[in-house]
Structures are given as structure tokens and as C-alpha cells.
């Protein structure tokens, strides 16, 4: 079975169930991981590094990465007591 980049959405839209073999075949044999710190979330204004996320993703692929691990900034979302209050 050969899959394009949009495989999961098309496959599920057709009402087909994914088997474990289907899911496994979506993943590369080797992961090359880049880690993005919280800058991907905080530096998004025009002229800043992550203003164009699609371009940053494309650049990661050009550099040979097939996985992006992001810092989701939990320290800004939660406190020791639970979710941070909304201001």
C-alpha cells in the first residue's frame, strides 16, 4: 500500500478503518527529530522567525528532519494548583 501526505484524511473520509499495519506504514523507519522551544509560539509576528510556520516546516524537511518535537509551554498554561487563570 502506498500513501501520499494526505493519506490519513482521505482514507478516513472514505469511511475506511485503519489497521495497525496501515498506521505503522505511515511512519518512517528512522526518526530524525528537531526540537523547537517555545519560540515557535512566542515569535510569530512579521519579521520574527516563526511568522511563517509552513516555511519553517519546509525548512526542517529540507534539513532532513521528519519529526518536530515542540515545547508546548506547560509552565505558561498550568501552575502547581492546576490550569492558570485566564486574564
Amino acid at each position: 500500500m502506498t500513501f501520499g501526505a494526505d493519506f490519513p484524511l482521505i482514507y478516513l473520509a472514505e469511511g475506511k478503518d485503519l489497521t495497525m499495519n496501515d498506521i505503522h506504514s505511515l511512519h518512517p523507519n528512522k526518526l530524525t527529530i528537531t526540537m523547537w522551544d517555545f519560540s515557535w509560539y512566542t515569535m510569530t509576528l512579521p519579521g520574527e522567525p516563526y511568522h511563517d510556520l509552513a516555511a519553517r516546516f519546509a525548512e526542517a524537511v529540507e534539513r532532513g528532519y521528519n519529526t518536530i518535537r515542540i515545547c508546548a509551554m506547560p509552565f505558561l498554561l498550568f501552575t502547581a494548583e492546576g490550569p492558570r487563570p485566564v486574564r
Side-chain angles (χ1 to χ4, degrees):
M1 188 179 276
T2 303
F3 304 114
D6 55 355
F7 160 73
L9 297 177
I10 290 173
Y11 202 75
L12 294 173
E14 293 174 356
K16 299 178 182 175
D17 291 327
L18 293 174
T19 66
M20 288 305 293
N21 285 336
D22 294 333
I23 293 168
H24 178 71
S25 67
L26 293 172
H27 300 288
N29 290 331
K30 182 178 181 181
L31 297 179
T32 52
I33 303 170
T34 180
M35 171 62 181
W36 289 4
D37 67 8
F38 59 87
S39 299
W40 75 270
Y41 186 78
T42 60
M43 300 186 75
T44 59
L45 296 175
E48 293 182 332
Y50 294 93
H51 175 67
D52 185 350
L53 276 179
R56 298 303 78 82
F57 285 126
E59 289 169 357
V61 171
E62 288 171 8
R63 292 179 177 133
Y65 294 104
N66 61 21
T67 306
I68 297 175
R69 178 180 176 206
I70 62 165
C71 171
M73 300 187 334
F75 65 92
L76 294 178
L77 302 174
F78 299 94
T79 67
E81 292 76 37
R84 189 172 296 281
V86 178
R87 295 181 187 175

